[in-house]
């Protein structure tokens, strides 16, 4: 297992949206780990910032406001990674849907796959709601994430 302070170019390229990413926060009430899955995720070119979007009422946003240390779990670029950092949640942004942008300053990036393991196929998903709405949301949200 290797640990780095920033994302390698392969991970920056991978994290340009439409990827399944696991978000681990600390539940503000129980103080237990809280897992959610996100896909509106963009790594910035320098490799030290990741931004993602969540709904304005998302439990993960409330958790981050209470405890900003988070972990993002990423499967891709041949391995599995735990990206740890401190997050800041934006005010509510009103677009086609109400959302919040979370900005993560990366503290560490660790390759966490088991010894001798290599990812050969990355997870995929499909959106099961209105295609026109999905395109509108993607355009709005990715323009915010790339700011």
């Amino acid at each position: 297992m290797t640990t780095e302070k920033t994302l390698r170019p392969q991970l920056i390229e991978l994290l340009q949206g439409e990827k399944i990413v696991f978000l681990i926060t600390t539940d503000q009430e129980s103080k237990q780990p809280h897992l959610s899955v996100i896909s509106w995720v963009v790594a910035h070119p320098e490799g030290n910032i990741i931004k993602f979007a969540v709904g304005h009422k998302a439990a993960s946003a409330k958790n981050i406001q209470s405890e900003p240390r988070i972990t993002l779990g990423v499967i891709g670029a041949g391995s599995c990674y735990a990206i740890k950092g401190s997050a800041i949640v934006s005010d509510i942004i009103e677009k086609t849907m109400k959302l919040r942008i979370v900005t993560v300053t990366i503290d560490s990036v660790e390759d966490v796959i088991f010894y001798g393991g290599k990812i050969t196929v990355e997870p995929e998903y499909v959106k099961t709601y209105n295609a026109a709405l999905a395109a509108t949301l993607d355009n709005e949200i990715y323009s915010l994430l790339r700011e």
Side-chain angles (χ1 to χ4, degrees), residues 3 15-16 24 34 37 45 50 64 76 80 85 92-93 109 122 142:
T3 303
L15 295 173
Q16 294 302 313
I24 303 167
H34 176 265
V37 179
I50 293 175
I64 291 167
C80 298
I92 295 172
I93 299 168
V109 180
E122 294 178 15
Y142 285 121

Side-chain angles (χ1 to χ4, degrees), residues 112-146:
V112 294
I113 197 158
F114 52 87
Y115 177 77
K118 180 178 178 173
I119 298 299
T120 58
V121 178
E122 294 178 15
E124 294 181 3
Y125 68 95
V126 294
K127 295 177 183 173
T128 59
Y129 58 99
N130 178 291
L133 175 59
T136 298
L137 289 171
D138 286 350
N139 288 335
E140 289 176 354
I141 291 168
Y142 285 121
S143 70
L144 291 169
L145 294 176
R146 290 189 170 100

Side-chain angles (χ1 to χ4, degrees), residues 33-55:
H34 176 265
L35 175 67
S36 55
V37 179
I38 57 176
S39 65
W40 284 315
V41 180
V42 171
H44 283 238
E46 302 80 21
N48 60 345
I49 300 281
I50 293 175
K51 290 185 179 182
F52 61 88
V54 294

Side-chain angles (χ1 to χ4, degrees), residues 29 70 77-78 84 102 122 132:
E29 293 175 17
I70 65 141
K84 296 180 182 180
V102 179
E122 294 178 15

